[in-house]
Amino acid sequence: QVQLVESGGGLVQAGGSLRLSCAASGMIFRFNDMGWYRPAPGKQRELVAVVSNDGTTDYADSVRGRFTISRDNDKNTVYLQMTSLNPEDTALYYCNSRPVFISWGRGTQVTVSS
């Protein structure tokens, strides 16, 4: 059974940083594009960052230049380094494949205070 476990969230002041981690099990991780998602108005979840199976990355405009996604295929883990956080980044963050075909994990809460 494929399982995703997110961690690393927390409470941080505006301008601060956090590093999220997502450990995947039960899947051939290295062949899949992986992304970080968060809820957005009018959408169930928006894709904020993605790393392809070849290491190519892409970002939503709202986080470009502040967030960095990376992956470690040996550890079946994808990371999201978040810097210059602002209150609008407050959300429950999830990882999943792109396109989504895995059951969602519990996510990790990021709260940014002003």
Side-chain angles (χ1 to χ4, degrees), residues 11-79:
L11 173 63
V12 63
Q13 289 188 330
S17 300
L18 284 172
R19 188 192 194 209
L20 308 184
S21 299
C22 171
S25 61
M27 63 181 290
I28 305 175
F29 179 82
R30 65 179 64 247
F31 295 139
N32 293 282
D33 297 353
M34 295 297 296
W36 283 94
Y37 298 78
R38 68 186 183 188
K43 303 178 183 179
Q44 185 173 15
R45 293 181 180 97
E46 68 171 349
L47 180 64
V48 297
V50 61
V51 56
S52 301
N53 56 8
D54 65 359
T56 305
T57 59
D58 199 11
Y59 302 89
D61 289 343
S62 58
V63 307
R64 193 183 308 275
R66 301 187 297 119
F67 291 8
T68 302
I69 190 170
S70 60
R71 66 191 298 160
D72 185 334
N73 288 335
D74 291 335
K75 296 182 178 179
N76 279 12
T77 301
V78 60
Y79 305 97

Side-chain angles (χ1 to χ4, degrees), residues 4-10 18-24 36 76-82 91-95 105-110:
L4 300 169
V5 179
E6 300 94 344
S7 62
L18 284 172
R19 188 192 194 209
L20 308 184
S21 299
C22 171
W36 283 94
N76 279 12
T77 301
V78 60
Y79 305 97
L80 187 68
Q81 179 67 49
M82 313 166 71
L92 190 57
Y93 284 76
Y94 302 85
C95 72
R106 294 186 175 183
T108 186
Q109 177 67 40
V110 172

Side-chain angles (χ1 to χ4, degrees), residues 99-112:
V100 172
F101 65 84
I102 306 169
S103 296
W104 294 97
R106 294 186 175 183
T108 186
Q109 177 67 40
V110 172
T111 303
V112 185

